[in-house]
Amino acid sequence: MEIPISLDPDNRQSLQSQLHAQVRTLILGGRLRPGAPLPPSRALAQQLGVSRNTVMLAYQRLTAEGYLQSREALGTFVSNELPESCLTAMRAVPPATAAGDALPARRPIPFRGRAHAVAGARRLPLDFWLGRPDPHSFPFGLWRRLLNRVLAGAGTHFTDYGDPAGLPALRRAIAEHLGPARGIAVDPEQIVVVGGCQEGLDLSARLLLREGDAVAIENPAYQGAAYLYESYRARLLPVHVDDSGLRVADLPDDGAALLYVTPSHQYPMGFMLPLERRLRLLDWAWRTSTYIVEDDYDSDFRYRGSPIPALMGLDTHGCVIYLGTFSKALGAGLRLGYLVVPRQLVGPARTVKALHDNGRPWLEQAVLAEFIASGAYANHLRRIRQVYVERRQCLIDCLREHFGEAQVSGSEGGMHLVWHLPPELPRASALQALAAEHGVGIYTLQSGAAHDFGGGPWHEQVVMLGFSSLGAKQIRTGIERLAAAVAAARPTPPPPSTLPGGASRDARGLPVRRPPPR
Ligand SMILES: Cc1ncc(COP(=O)(O)O)c(C=O)c1O
C-alpha cells in the first residue's frame, strides 16, 4: 500500500514536519478516509527513503492530534472519529491558487466601503503631499529620554487594562492644552483618546448613525470622512463651500444626524469659517437637533491673524463633538488623537470606545502626556510653526516667480495651500498628470485625500500643494520642474493677443493655441 507523499530534503521544514503536513492534508482533503489503514512505518520509510524513526514520530504526532489511531497488532488507521461529512465538504474546496481567489462562494459580507487615500499612498520624488509634517522636526532626542523615563516607572501598566477612554494623565494634559490653544474649557472626563481623527470619525458614526440617516458634509470634503460615513450607509448631503467655508445658509432646514465640518482650515480648500457663520451654524445645530463633528486637524498652524476659537469653545448647548489629532503636529505614525464629547455623551462615548478596542497602547500615551505637560509640546509647536511659515512663503514666492501673480488661498494656516490655476495653464488633472511625469506630486480636488462631490466652482480649477514636508530647496526644484514641464508641453508660445479666454484644450487638457498669423 503506497500513499502519494513526496518529501523535499532541501525544504527548510524537517522531513518529519513535511510528512506530518502531507498526511494531514490527505486526511482533511478526503483522500484518506476515516478508518483507512496507513502503510506500516517501516514500509513508508522505505518508500520515502527516510529513517523509520521519522515516520514513527510523524505518526505519533498525528495520533496525538486525533487524526490517526493505532490499533494493537493491526497497525495505524485514519481516525474513525473524524466527521466524514466535514471532510467531504473540505474536499469540495478547490485547491487554493497562489492568489487565494479560488475560495467557494461565501455569504456576502455586509460591509461596503471604499479605501481612502491617506494611508500607503505612493510618493513621488518631489511630492507636495498634503498634511505631512516635516520628518526632520520630530523631537527624537527628547522622545527617547521620556520613553526611558516612562518605561522605568511602567509598573503594571503593560499587564493591566487601562481606562478605555485613555490615560488620565494624557487626558488632563490635552484638556489643559485645549483651553488656551482652542478656547475650549473641557473636563478631562469629556476626552476620549483615539488612534487619530479617523478612529474619532468612526466612533462618531457608531454613536450617532443608523443606516439611511442624513449626514451633511462639506463639498469638497475630506475623503476619510466622506468614505467613512458612506460605509455606514448614511445618506450624504454635500453642502457647498465658498471662500468663507461652509455655506451655512444651504444646510437642510430639517437638520441631519450629524454634520461634518473643518472650520479652522476647510479641507481641502483651506478657508476659515468666520465667527458670524460659526454662530449661525451652532444656532442651526441647536434648532435642528443636529450633532456637529468638528475636525480641527491642523489648527495648530496659524500664520496670520488670530485664531478663532474652535466651534466647541463657542457651543453652549452641547451640540459639538470635537476631533483633534497629533498626526499633523508630531506625526501620523504615532496614531494618537482625541475626541472631546459634550457632557451628555460621556457615558456612551466611553462604552463605544471600550467595545471598539479597550483603549490605546499605554506607552505612547504616557510619553505624550509627559511631552505635553512638560511644556515641550508648546515649544515644539512654536518651532515648527516658524519652519512652516518660511516654507509656505518660499512656495508662494516660487509660484509667483514662475507663473506670475499666482492666486492662492487657504495659506493663512495649515500645511498646504490652494493654487487657483490661471487660464493659460492646463486643467487641474492634466497638470497633475504632467507634473507626475516629471516626478512632482500636486493634488486636485479628487486626490490627496480630498473628495469633490461635483458642482462646485473650483472643479478642475485649483490644485493643492503641501509645503510642510519639503525643504526650501525641494520646493524650489519642484516648482521649477513643474514650470519647465508646462513650458515643454506647450505646442507653440501663445501670442499675447490671444492669451486668456478663447483657448481650446487638447485631449490632455493642455491649452492649444492657434499659430500666430504669418
Ligand atoms: C481633514 C483631515 N482630518 C483628519 C486627518 C488625519 O487624521 P488622523 O488623525 O487619522 O491621522 C487628515 C489627514 O490628512 C485630514 O486631512
Side-chain angles (χ1 to χ4, degrees), residues 14 18-19 90 104 126 131 144 158 174 202 214 219 227-228 244 327 329 336 352 446 450 454 463 470 494:
S14 70
Q18 291 180 53
L19 179 57
M90 294 207 62
L126 288 166
R144 195 176 300 120
F158 281 117
I174 293 171
D202 191 60
N219 181 19
Y227 288 10
L228 185 278
S244 297
S327 290
L336 280 173
V352 157
Q446 290 288 16
V463 289
L470 297 178

Side-chain angles (χ1 to χ4, degrees), residues 66 166 178 193 197 272 350 383 402 408 410 443 447 481:
L178 280 177
V193 177
C197 280
M272 185 173 76
R350 282 182 67 86
R383 207 168 38 246
H402 292 280
V408 298
Y443 293 89
S447 60
R481 272 205 210 167

